[in-house]
């Protein structure tokens, strides 16, 4: 695994030693960031970003390399957290990123001043985690109005977005789909 673009282009990241952590491939990551640059007017630069089910932290590291202001990485797995920490340390990004161990389906209210303009969700495929995480982000007030949310999921898994998200497009790459949605702030029912 390596950083594809930005100030750390070409730098190598530590990868998982177990199949319990499934990182986004270099090729798909490159495709994703090309789409963001060319179709979405570079929503990463100067943004606060969320990397949920962060795994190795490669998405957040790539975003920070390309000019994101801050990255919050949500990851429950202890081995993955250690991997993320090692990758952030290697790139000298510990002052621009924070790792939180928590259940993304139960985030609770946002406890920081700045909301997030971009979120990337890469849950374990086919486990029905996308909808509860999106609902948790909405109920907790985590996202800026109009925030771009990208979801990586198995191409075979149908995704249903809560009412507070508007589907923009879905792109399929082999066995993987990338779904792009915009957050539409609305009432937060308890």
């Amino acid at each position: 695994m390596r950083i594809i673009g930005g100030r750390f282009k070409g730098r190598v990241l530590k990868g998982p030693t177990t199949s319990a952590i499934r990182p986004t491939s270099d090729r798909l990551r490159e495709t994703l960031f090309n789409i963001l640059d060319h179709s979405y007017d570079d929503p990463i630069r100067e943004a606060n970003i969320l990397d949920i089910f962060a795994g190795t932290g490669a998405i957040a590291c790539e975003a920070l390399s390309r000019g994101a202001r801050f990255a919050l990485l949500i990851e429950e797995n202890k081995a993955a957290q250690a991997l993320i920490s090692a990758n952030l340390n290697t790139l000298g990004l510990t002052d621009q990123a924070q790792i939180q161990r928590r259940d993304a389906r139960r985030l609770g209210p946002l406890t920081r001043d700045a909301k997030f303009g971009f979120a990337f969700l890469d849950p374990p495929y086919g486990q029905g985690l996308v909808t509860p995480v999106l609902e948790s982000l909405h109920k907790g007030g985590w996202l800026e109005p109009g925030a771009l949310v990208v979801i990586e999921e198995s191409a075979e898994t149908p995704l249903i977005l809560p009412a507070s998200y508007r589907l923009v497009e879905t792109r399929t790459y082999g066995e993987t789909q990338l779904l792009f949605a915009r957050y539409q702030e609305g009432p937060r029912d308890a």
Side-chain angles (χ1 to χ4, degrees), residues 34-159:
N34 283 337
I35 292 167
L36 295 175
D37 285 347
H38 300 294
S39 298
Y40 292 92
D41 197 27
D42 189 13
I44 299 298
R45 186 166 304 284
E46 295 300 317
N48 292 316
I49 69 133
L50 277 169
D51 186 354
I52 303 175
F53 304 102
T56 64
I59 292 290
C61 289
E62 188 75 43
L64 291 167
S65 178
R66 293 170 183 252
R69 180 182 304 123
F70 175 78
L72 178 61
L73 300 95
I74 307 290
E75 178 57 63
E76 275 194 298
N77 181 295
K78 282 187 178 186
Q81 285 182 318
L83 197 53
I84 293 166
S85 184
N87 284 329
L88 292 172
N89 282 324
T90 296
L91 297 174
L93 292 172
T94 56
D95 61 333
Q96 288 183 265
Q98 181 184 6
I99 307 164
Q100 289 187 5
R101 184 173 188 215
R102 58 194 321 172
D103 183 340
R105 297 168 298 177
R106 295 172 188 85
L107 291 169
L110 180 65
T111 57
R112 50 177 275 134
D113 292 336
K115 294 185 178 191
F116 295 90
F118 178 83
F120 182 78
L121 285 70
D122 184 10
Y125 284 2
Q127 294 189 17
L129 297 172
V130 171
T131 300
V133 172
L134 293 175
E135 289 171 347
S136 181
L137 288 169
H138 171 68
K139 287 178 183 175
W142 287 70
L143 300 173
E144 297 173 356
L148 183 64
V149 178
V150 179
I151 302 156
E152 178 183 338
E153 177 61 275
S154 165
E156 297 177 0
T157 302
L159 295 175

Side-chain angles (χ1 to χ4, degrees), residues 28 31-32 34-36 38-40 151 153 155 167 169-174 176-180:
L28 186 59
T31 298
L32 169 62
N34 283 337
I35 292 167
L36 295 175
H38 300 294
S39 298
Y40 292 92
I151 302 156
E153 177 61 275
L167 176 64
E169 69 175 312
T170 302
R171 298 189 186 202
T172 303
Y173 302 94
T176 300
Q177 66 177 313
L178 290 177
L179 183 142
F180 297 78

